[in-house]
Amino acid sequence: AALPMGWDSFAGPQPLEAVTSKAILDRLGLGSRPYILFVGTIEPRKNLSALLDAMRSLRTRLGGGVPLLVVAGGYGWRAAATRRRLEQEVRAGH
């Protein structure tokens, strides 16, 4: 499901109803769990590897109290290493 930028604060299409938003989050496996959202092309200049390092460090220090990291975006140039790392994180349940 796509949400236009600023869907909850700008004029235009009405915001999604809470039930619909919850259904989308449930379908994506997020439910009511807190999460951090990264949106952007997955490529080295976005420094996603630093964000993944930070999330790993937080999980080491805080355990299960760390929000999930949700990454949304297409793969750009030179993204192979980051793609492999994201796949490893997913396999590890992160």
Side-chain angles (χ1 to χ4, degrees):
L3 302 175
M5 288 180 64
W7 69 274
D8 63 344
S9 59
F10 294 106
Q14 293 296 314
L16 295 176
E17 297 295 326
V19 173
T20 305
S21 296
K22 182 179 179 334
I24 292 169
L25 293 172
D26 287 345
R27 187 181 79 230
L28 296 172
L30 296 170
S32 60
R33 297 169 66 180
Y35 61 93
I36 297 167
L37 178 63
F38 168 93
V39 179
T41 307
I42 299 166
E43 54 190 39
R45 68 188 184 97
K46 301 296 174 106
N47 207 8
L48 185 54
S49 61
L51 179 56
L52 294 172
D53 289 343
M55 294 301 293
R56 180 179 291 160
S57 176
L58 286 171
R59 284 192 304 270
T60 299
R61 290 186 2 228
L62 304 174
V66 177
L68 295 173
L69 174 62
V70 176
V71 177
Y75 291 102
W77 64 277
R78 295 183 161 177
T82 305
R83 183 180 203 148
R84 283 190 300 273
R85 184 156 178 205
L86 286 169
E87 291 168 351
Q88 290 171 347
E89 294 290 336
V90 169
R91 282 193 300 273
H94 307 299

XYZ file of all heavy atoms in Angstrom:
711
model
N 0.852 -1.179 0.000
C 0.000 0.000 0.000
C 0.886 1.225 0.000
O 1.874 1.271 0.708
C -0.896 -0.005 1.221
N 0.556 2.184 -0.801
C 1.347 3.407 -0.887
C 0.623 4.531 -0.162
O -0.586 4.689 -0.295
C 1.567 3.789 -2.345
N 1.364 5.286 0.620
C 0.823 6.460 1.288
C 1.505 7.671 0.674
O 2.728 7.764 0.701
C 1.119 6.418 2.793
C 0.597 5.214 3.549
C 1.076 5.264 4.989
C -0.900 5.176 3.492
N 0.752 8.610 0.109
C 1.402 9.790 -0.454
C 2.141 10.562 0.625
O 1.765 10.520 1.792
C 0.250 10.599 -1.037
C -1.006 9.968 -0.567
C -0.678 8.632 0.019
N 3.198 11.255 0.221
C 3.968 12.033 1.200
C 3.046 12.996 1.938
O 2.218 13.670 1.332
C 5.073 12.810 0.495
C 6.192 11.927 0.017
S 7.494 12.831 -0.804
C 8.117 13.853 0.504
N 3.187 13.053 3.243
C 2.381 13.961 4.038
C 0.921 13.565 4.113
O 0.059 14.398 4.340
N 0.632 12.297 3.950
C -0.760 11.855 3.873
C -1.577 12.239 5.091
O -2.778 12.395 4.996
C -0.850 10.355 3.633
C -0.396 9.521 4.794
C 0.871 9.145 5.070
C -1.203 8.976 5.828
N 0.917 8.408 6.215
C -0.333 8.275 6.697
C -2.566 9.002 6.111
C -0.798 7.617 7.820
C -3.016 8.342 7.233
C -2.143 7.656 8.073
N -0.927 12.448 6.218
C -1.700 12.748 7.421
C -1.759 14.234 7.747
O -2.416 14.627 8.703
C -1.138 11.986 8.618
C 0.288 12.397 8.950
O 0.934 13.024 8.106
O 0.739 12.085 10.044
N -1.107 15.074 6.944
C -1.068 16.475 7.348
C -1.373 17.473 6.241
O -1.499 18.647 6.519
C 0.317 16.795 7.938
O 1.318 16.531 6.985
N -1.492 17.047 5.009
C -1.749 17.976 3.926
C -3.136 17.767 3.345
O -3.701 16.693 3.431
C -0.708 17.821 2.813
C 0.681 18.207 3.249
C 1.634 17.240 3.484
C 1.021 19.531 3.442
C 2.908 17.587 3.888
C 2.287 19.886 3.852
C 3.230 18.917 4.074
N -3.649 18.827 2.724
C -4.947 18.717 2.064
C -4.822 17.728 0.910
O -3.740 17.471 0.400
C -5.384 20.073 1.549
N -5.923 17.198 0.483
C -5.911 16.227 -0.606
C -6.672 15.003 -0.162
O -7.660 15.123 0.561
N -6.205 13.844 -0.560
C -6.924 12.630 -0.154
C -7.050 12.546 1.364
O -6.151 12.945 2.090
C -6.039 11.502 -0.689
C -5.192 12.130 -1.734
C -5.027 13.573 -1.347
N -8.163 12.049 1.801
C -8.390 11.900 3.236
C -7.405 10.903 3.812
O -7.033 9.932 3.157
C -9.825 11.424 3.504
C -10.873 12.450 3.131
C -10.746 13.704 3.980
O -10.604 13.622 5.180
N -10.774 14.862 3.346
N -6.957 11.132 5.059
C -6.040 10.166 5.684
C -6.704 8.802 5.797
O -7.921 8.690 5.854
C -5.767 10.752 7.065
C -6.471 12.039 7.147
C -7.288 12.232 5.913
N -5.881 7.785 5.831
C -6.405 6.438 6.016
C -7.090 6.328 7.363
O -6.652 6.919 8.342
C -5.272 5.411 5.949
C -4.548 5.276 4.619
C -3.396 4.294 4.762
C -5.491 4.824 3.535
N -8.142 5.575 7.402
C -8.809 5.314 8.669
C -7.883 4.462 9.540
O -7.073 3.698 9.037
C -10.122 4.561 8.436
C -11.133 5.351 7.628
C -11.601 6.591 8.357
O -11.697 6.567 9.595
O -11.861 7.592 7.681
N -8.026 4.582 10.840
C -7.166 3.846 11.763
C -7.236 2.341 11.517
O -6.232 1.651 11.561
C -7.540 4.173 13.201
N -8.423 1.836 11.224
C -8.576 0.399 10.987
C -7.769 -0.010 9.764
O -7.088 -1.019 9.763
C -10.066 0.036 10.808
C -10.230 -1.412 10.400
C -10.840 0.338 12.076
N -7.819 0.789 8.714
C -7.078 0.471 7.499
C -5.580 0.529 7.769
O -4.835 -0.338 7.330
C -7.453 1.447 6.369
O -8.866 1.409 6.188
C -6.783 1.085 5.084
N -5.122 1.554 8.472
C -3.703 1.655 8.798
C -3.261 0.451 9.615
O -2.199 -0.117 9.367
C -3.430 2.941 9.584
O -3.714 4.066 8.809
N -4.062 0.049 10.587
C -3.733 -1.108 11.408
C -3.675 -2.365 10.557
O -2.769 -3.184 10.720
C -4.740 -1.280 12.535
C -4.394 -2.449 13.449
C -5.385 -2.598 14.573
C -5.104 -3.749 15.492
N -4.366 -4.875 14.996
N -4.601 -2.504 9.625
C -4.602 -3.687 8.763
C -3.328 -3.740 7.920
O -2.744 -4.814 7.730
C -5.840 -3.679 7.869
N -2.883 -2.600 7.434
C -1.651 -2.554 6.641
C -0.458 -2.939 7.510
O 0.374 -3.758 7.123
C -1.451 -1.157 6.024
C -2.514 -0.902 4.962
C -0.058 -1.019 5.430
C -2.568 0.532 4.490
N -0.369 -2.357 8.705
C 0.740 -2.682 9.611
C 0.728 -4.157 9.993
O 1.775 -4.799 10.058
C 0.699 -1.793 10.843
C 0.981 -0.313 10.588
C 0.725 0.495 11.849
C 2.393 -0.102 10.090
N -0.461 -4.704 10.235
C -0.572 -6.134 10.564
C -0.090 -6.994 9.405
O 0.649 -7.961 9.597
C -2.013 -6.504 10.918
C -2.450 -5.979 12.273
O -1.576 -5.574 13.071
O -3.671 -5.953 12.517
N -0.514 -6.633 8.184
C -0.125 -7.409 7.016
C 1.394 -7.405 6.822
O 1.980 -8.376 6.379
C -0.819 -6.863 5.768
C -0.590 -7.752 4.544
C -1.239 -7.222 3.293
N -0.383 -6.169 2.765
C -0.783 -4.952 2.407
N -2.043 -4.612 2.520
N 0.065 -4.072 1.940
N 2.040 -6.305 7.179
C 3.479 -6.192 7.037
C 4.239 -6.781 8.226
O 5.466 -6.724 8.276
C 3.869 -4.724 6.848
C 3.335 -4.085 5.561
C 3.603 -2.597 5.552
C 3.932 -4.759 4.338
N 3.514 -7.324 9.203
C 4.155 -7.950 10.342
C 4.576 -6.975 11.429
O 5.341 -7.323 12.311
N 4.084 -5.746 11.355
C 4.463 -4.743 12.352
C 3.455 -4.649 13.482
O 3.830 -4.356 14.616
C 4.621 -3.375 11.692
C 5.749 -3.286 10.670
C 5.677 -1.983 9.913
C 7.080 -3.439 11.351
N 2.190 -4.866 13.184
C 1.156 -4.761 14.208
C 1.264 -3.441 14.943
O 1.336 -2.388 14.328
N 1.320 -3.494 16.242
C 1.433 -2.262 17.031
C 2.858 -2.074 17.557
O 3.092 -1.257 18.436
C 0.443 -2.302 18.197
O 0.725 -3.418 19.016
N 3.809 -2.837 17.008
C 5.204 -2.726 17.442
C 5.793 -1.399 16.980
O 5.522 -0.935 15.880
C 6.021 -3.873 16.860
C 5.559 -5.232 17.348
C 6.182 -6.361 16.577
N 7.616 -6.418 16.817
C 8.403 -7.318 16.255
N 7.919 -8.210 15.422
N 9.699 -7.321 16.517
N 6.603 -0.771 17.797
C 7.253 0.468 17.362
C 8.286 0.169 16.272
O 8.898 -0.904 16.256
C 7.919 0.998 18.627
C 8.059 -0.175 19.520
C 6.964 -1.141 19.161
N 8.464 1.136 15.368
C 9.442 0.941 14.308
C 10.048 2.274 13.881
O 9.482 3.341 14.104
C 8.830 0.225 13.097
C 7.696 0.971 12.436
C 7.936 1.831 11.370
C 6.389 0.808 12.867
C 6.897 2.518 10.759
C 5.343 1.476 12.264
C 5.605 2.320 11.213
O 4.577 2.997 10.613
N 11.211 2.161 13.263
C 11.908 3.293 12.669
C 11.831 3.068 11.170
O 12.112 1.969 10.686
C 13.382 3.332 13.129
C 13.446 3.534 14.638
C 14.161 4.403 12.371
C 14.816 3.288 15.232
N 11.453 4.098 10.422
C 11.270 3.955 8.982
C 12.361 4.685 8.219
O 12.560 5.885 8.393
C 9.896 4.501 8.578
C 9.551 4.475 7.088
C 9.514 3.043 6.568
C 8.202 5.158 6.869
N 13.076 3.941 7.380
C 14.048 4.504 6.447
C 13.422 4.421 5.069
O 13.015 3.341 4.633
C 15.356 3.703 6.466
C 16.292 4.058 5.334
C 17.264 5.026 5.516
C 16.190 3.425 4.102
C 18.124 5.361 4.474
C 17.044 3.753 3.064
C 18.012 4.725 3.242
N 13.330 5.560 4.374
C 12.789 5.580 3.022
C 13.818 6.224 2.115
O 14.250 7.353 2.364
C 11.461 6.368 2.949
C 10.933 6.404 1.514
C 10.420 5.774 3.885
N 14.220 5.519 1.105
C 15.177 6.066 0.152
C 15.785 4.971 -0.691
O 15.632 3.782 -0.394
N 16.457 5.363 -1.733
C 17.154 4.406 -2.572
C 18.258 3.744 -1.756
O 18.961 4.411 -1.005
C 17.764 5.110 -3.795
O 16.739 5.846 -4.453
C 18.363 4.109 -4.764
N 18.379 2.456 -1.903
C 19.384 1.716 -1.152
C 20.669 1.720 -1.969
O 20.781 1.018 -2.977
C 18.885 0.293 -0.848
C 17.618 0.392 -0.002
C 19.959 -0.525 -0.156
C 16.835 -0.878 0.112
N 21.591 2.562 -1.547
C 22.884 2.698 -2.212
C 23.867 3.315 -1.220
O 23.457 3.887 -0.212
C 22.763 3.540 -3.481
C 22.135 4.881 -3.282
C 21.824 5.573 -4.605
O 21.402 4.929 -5.569
O 22.018 6.795 -4.640
N 25.165 3.186 -1.481
C 26.167 3.616 -0.493
C 26.042 5.059 -0.025
O 26.245 5.343 1.157
C 27.494 3.393 -1.231
C 27.210 2.338 -2.228
C 25.781 2.557 -2.653
N 25.694 5.981 -0.894
C 25.662 7.392 -0.489
C 24.589 7.699 0.545
O 24.624 8.742 1.188
C 25.513 8.308 -1.704
C 24.177 8.199 -2.395
C 24.185 8.993 -3.709
N 22.874 8.959 -4.317
C 21.972 9.917 -4.182
N 22.242 11.000 -3.491
N 20.795 9.807 -4.761
N 23.642 6.792 0.747
C 22.604 6.985 1.771
C 23.075 6.513 3.139
O 22.405 6.711 4.135
C 21.321 6.238 1.378
C 20.729 6.660 0.051
C 20.268 8.105 0.072
C 19.806 8.554 -1.292
N 18.402 8.696 -1.449
N 24.238 5.861 3.189
C 24.875 5.426 4.433
C 23.968 4.549 5.297
O 23.953 4.653 6.522
C 25.390 6.630 5.220
C 26.570 6.258 6.095
O 27.093 5.155 5.996
N 26.977 7.169 6.941
N 23.233 3.687 4.643
C 22.377 2.748 5.365
C 23.200 1.809 6.245
O 22.733 1.377 7.294
C 21.526 1.963 4.364
C 20.480 1.015 4.913
C 19.527 1.714 5.877
C 19.712 0.356 3.783
N 24.443 1.548 5.840
C 25.284 0.661 6.660
C 25.522 1.256 8.053
O 25.563 0.524 9.039
C 26.612 0.367 5.965
O 27.326 1.551 5.755
N 25.641 2.566 8.156
C 25.807 3.197 9.477
C 24.544 3.023 10.316
O 24.619 2.789 11.527
C 26.140 4.675 9.329
N 23.389 3.129 9.684
C 22.128 2.921 10.396
C 22.026 1.470 10.859
O 21.621 1.202 11.998
C 20.943 3.298 9.505
C 19.554 3.112 10.089
C 19.394 3.877 11.398
C 18.504 3.550 9.067
N 22.414 0.526 10.017
C 22.390 -0.884 10.415
C 23.362 -1.149 11.560
O 23.048 -1.909 12.481
C 22.706 -1.775 9.211
C 21.660 -1.764 8.095
C 22.164 -2.531 6.881
C 20.336 -2.310 8.574
N 24.530 -0.503 11.521
C 25.487 -0.623 12.628
C 24.883 -0.087 13.926
O 25.018 -0.703 14.994
C 26.774 0.148 12.332
C 27.620 -0.490 11.248
O 27.419 -1.677 10.924
O 28.505 0.231 10.715
N 24.235 1.057 13.839
C 23.618 1.665 15.027
C 22.525 0.772 15.594
O 22.419 0.594 16.820
C 23.066 3.044 14.684
N 21.712 0.199 14.713
C 20.641 -0.688 15.180
C 21.218 -1.927 15.858
O 20.721 -2.355 16.892
C 19.731 -1.088 14.007
C 18.949 0.065 13.404
S 17.858 0.901 14.574
C 16.663 -0.384 14.905
N 22.277 -2.485 15.290
C 22.918 -3.660 15.890
C 23.456 -3.308 17.271
O 23.299 -4.068 18.232
C 24.040 -4.175 15.001
C 24.729 -5.400 15.608
C 25.811 -5.930 14.723
N 25.196 -6.507 13.541
C 25.834 -6.713 12.399
N 27.103 -6.359 12.278
N 25.222 -7.256 11.376
N 24.099 -2.144 17.393
C 24.644 -1.707 18.678
C 23.529 -1.531 19.707
O 23.668 -1.953 20.861
C 25.409 -0.395 18.483
O 25.864 0.097 19.711
N 22.428 -0.929 19.297
C 21.294 -0.747 20.212
C 20.720 -2.087 20.655
O 20.391 -2.270 21.829
C 20.207 0.103 19.555
C 20.514 1.589 19.433
C 19.476 2.286 18.564
C 20.583 2.234 20.809
N 20.581 -3.029 19.712
C 20.053 -4.358 20.084
C 20.983 -5.060 21.059
O 20.521 -5.749 21.975
C 19.829 -5.212 18.837
C 18.599 -4.832 18.050
C 18.254 -5.875 16.998
N 19.350 -6.143 16.088
C 19.565 -5.494 14.946
N 18.763 -4.508 14.587
N 20.585 -5.832 14.177
N 22.293 -4.879 20.883
C 23.258 -5.490 21.797
C 23.103 -4.909 23.200
O 23.135 -5.635 24.191
C 24.698 -5.265 21.286
O 24.820 -5.878 20.001
C 25.719 -5.856 22.230
N 22.929 -3.589 23.271
C 22.828 -2.926 24.577
C 21.450 -3.036 25.203
O 21.324 -3.153 26.417
C 23.197 -1.454 24.431
C 24.672 -1.264 24.160
C 25.167 0.166 24.149
N 24.208 1.180 24.428
C 24.050 2.292 23.697
N 24.797 2.498 22.637
N 23.172 3.196 24.034
N 20.384 -2.962 24.391
C 19.039 -2.868 24.943
C 18.153 -4.082 24.691
O 17.039 -4.137 25.199
C 18.345 -1.621 24.371
C 19.084 -0.300 24.578
C 18.371 0.830 23.856
C 19.226 0.005 26.061
N 18.622 -5.004 23.883
C 17.839 -6.212 23.611
C 16.558 -5.925 22.854
O 16.527 -5.136 21.925
N 15.491 -6.560 23.286
C 14.206 -6.486 22.600
C 13.492 -5.162 22.701
O 12.440 -4.988 22.090
N 14.021 -4.210 23.452
C 13.366 -2.915 23.588
C 13.613 -1.968 22.427
O 13.084 -0.867 22.417
N 14.385 -2.401 21.452
C 14.717 -1.542 20.314
C 13.631 -1.678 19.249
O 13.238 -2.795 18.897
C 16.087 -1.937 19.728
C 16.430 -1.108 18.504
C 17.157 -1.794 20.789
N 13.134 -0.569 18.720
C 12.136 -0.658 17.642
C 12.698 -1.394 16.430
O 13.914 -1.445 16.228
C 11.848 0.801 17.283
C 12.324 1.593 18.445
C 13.441 0.811 19.069
N 11.810 -1.941 15.641
C 12.214 -2.567 14.390
C 12.694 -1.489 13.422
O 12.262 -0.341 13.503
C 11.031 -3.291 13.753
C 10.472 -4.481 14.504
C 9.205 -4.979 13.814
C 11.501 -5.590 14.576
N 13.544 -1.857 12.502
C 13.942 -0.960 11.426
C 13.241 -1.432 10.163
O 13.399 -2.577 9.747
C 15.458 -0.975 11.217
C 15.960 -0.168 10.017
C 15.624 1.310 10.175
C 17.460 -0.371 9.837
N 12.448 -0.558 9.565
C 11.757 -0.854 8.316
C 12.456 -0.060 7.221
O 12.600 1.155 7.328
C 10.264 -0.454 8.394
C 9.575 -0.686 7.056
C 9.570 -1.231 9.511
N 12.911 -0.767 6.195
C 13.616 -0.137 5.078
C 12.722 -0.224 3.857
O 12.314 -1.315 3.450
C 14.968 -0.847 4.812
C 15.663 -0.233 3.601
C 15.858 -0.759 6.045
N 12.416 0.931 3.272
C 11.567 0.992 2.082
C 12.300 1.757 0.990
O 12.679 2.907 1.189
C 10.252 1.686 2.415
N 12.517 1.096 -0.114
C 13.161 1.751 -1.239
C 13.733 0.734 -2.202
O 13.959 -0.416 -1.841
N 13.956 1.174 -3.397
C 14.527 0.310 -4.414
C 16.040 0.279 -4.310
O 16.654 1.143 -3.691
N 16.625 -0.728 -4.918
C 18.078 -0.843 -4.922
C 18.648 0.037 -6.025
O 18.173 0.018 -7.154
C 18.510 -2.299 -5.124
C 18.182 -3.155 -3.927
C 17.083 -3.994 -3.928
C 18.971 -3.099 -2.789
C 16.779 -4.764 -2.824
C 18.670 -3.862 -1.677
C 17.571 -4.696 -1.701
O 17.268 -5.454 -0.603
N 19.654 0.815 -5.675
C 20.329 1.685 -6.621
C 21.674 1.110 -7.008
O 21.930 -0.088 -6.876
N 22.572 1.980 -7.411
C 23.909 1.566 -7.855
C 24.740 1.077 -6.677
O 24.602 1.560 -5.561
C 24.596 2.710 -8.590
C 24.864 3.908 -7.735
C 23.993 4.916 -7.429
C 26.066 4.220 -7.037
N 24.573 5.828 -6.593
C 25.858 5.427 -6.334
C 27.305 3.604 -6.939
C 26.840 6.025 -5.551
C 28.276 4.203 -6.159
C 28.036 5.404 -5.476
N 25.580 0.114 -6.944
C 26.512 -0.437 -5.953
C 25.831 -0.869 -4.647
O 26.340 -0.628 -3.558
C 27.620 0.552 -5.649
C 28.508 0.841 -6.819
C 29.610 1.770 -6.426
N 30.686 1.689 -7.410
C 31.759 2.434 -7.365
N 31.924 3.322 -6.402
N 32.688 2.318 -8.283
N 24.685 -1.485 -4.785
C 23.904 -1.846 -3.596
C 24.083 -3.303 -3.190
O 23.471 -3.735 -2.212
C 22.421 -1.564 -3.851
N 24.918 -4.061 -3.867
C 25.011 -5.498 -3.607
C 25.388 -5.815 -2.153
O 24.775 -6.672 -1.516
C 26.007 -6.144 -4.569
N 26.386 -5.134 -1.630
C 26.824 -5.422 -0.254
C 25.735 -5.063 0.752
O 25.478 -5.819 1.699
C 28.111 -4.668 0.062
N 25.095 -3.930 0.553
C 24.012 -3.525 1.463
C 22.840 -4.480 1.346
O 22.222 -4.839 2.354
C 23.565 -2.080 1.164
O 24.705 -1.228 1.232
C 22.511 -1.615 2.154
N 22.542 -4.925 0.130
C 21.459 -5.881 -0.072
C 21.739 -7.172 0.700
O 20.861 -7.703 1.378
C 21.286 -6.166 -1.558
C 20.145 -7.097 -1.854
C 20.012 -7.340 -3.349
N 18.664 -7.764 -3.622
C 18.003 -7.515 -4.714
N 18.559 -6.815 -5.689
N 16.789 -7.944 -4.875
N 22.974 -7.685 0.589
C 23.335 -8.903 1.331
C 23.170 -8.687 2.834
O 22.664 -9.548 3.548
C 24.764 -9.326 1.010
C 24.916 -10.008 -0.329
C 26.294 -10.639 -0.501
N 27.370 -9.657 -0.412
C 27.825 -8.938 -1.437
N 27.306 -9.084 -2.635
N 28.816 -8.074 -1.262
N 23.599 -7.549 3.303
C 23.500 -7.271 4.744
C 22.041 -7.180 5.187
O 21.674 -7.709 6.239
C 24.231 -5.979 5.076
C 24.239 -5.725 6.556
C 25.351 -4.853 6.969
N 25.252 -4.615 8.398
C 25.744 -3.570 9.001
N 26.416 -2.670 8.316
N 25.602 -3.414 10.302
N 21.197 -6.530 4.398
C 19.768 -6.466 4.729
C 19.157 -7.850 4.763
O 18.372 -8.173 5.668
C 19.029 -5.579 3.724
C 19.249 -4.079 3.852
C 18.676 -3.357 2.648
C 18.637 -3.554 5.149
N 19.529 -8.687 3.812
C 19.010 -10.063 3.791
C 19.457 -10.835 5.026
O 18.679 -11.611 5.590
C 19.436 -10.765 2.500
C 18.742 -10.204 1.276
C 19.340 -10.660 -0.052
O 20.429 -11.294 -0.038
O 18.728 -10.356 -1.096
N 20.693 -10.631 5.459
C 21.180 -11.280 6.684
C 20.382 -10.802 7.903
O 20.038 -11.601 8.773
C 22.662 -10.972 6.901
C 23.583 -11.644 5.924
C 25.014 -11.139 6.054
O 25.290 -10.124 6.697
N 25.934 -11.836 5.406
N 20.109 -9.507 7.967
C 19.337 -8.955 9.082
C 17.920 -9.558 9.117
O 17.416 -9.889 10.188
C 19.270 -7.433 8.999
C 20.600 -6.730 9.180
C 21.133 -6.819 10.595
O 20.342 -6.998 11.542
O 22.354 -6.709 10.765
N 17.326 -9.701 7.960
C 15.980 -10.285 7.882
C 16.019 -11.731 8.358
O 15.174 -12.159 9.153
C 15.402 -10.175 6.453
C 14.138 -11.011 6.309
C 15.123 -8.724 6.110
N 17.005 -12.490 7.888
C 17.122 -13.893 8.325
C 17.323 -13.993 9.831
O 16.878 -14.955 10.465
C 18.258 -14.582 7.575
C 17.905 -14.996 6.164
C 18.929 -15.954 5.572
N 20.263 -15.379 5.499
C 20.733 -14.651 4.489
N 19.959 -14.377 3.469
N 21.967 -14.177 4.504
N 17.977 -13.003 10.418
C 18.214 -12.996 11.867
C 17.003 -12.489 12.647
O 17.028 -12.428 13.873
C 19.432 -12.119 12.183
N 15.939 -12.124 11.933
C 14.713 -11.679 12.610
C 14.665 -10.192 12.890
O 13.839 -9.718 13.641
N 15.575 -9.446 12.267
C 15.599 -8.013 12.471
C 15.047 -7.312 11.258
O 15.148 -6.189 11.054
C 17.026 -7.524 12.740
C 17.687 -8.281 13.867
N 17.195 -8.292 15.150
C 18.783 -9.068 13.883
C 17.972 -9.046 15.907
N 18.934 -9.530 15.159
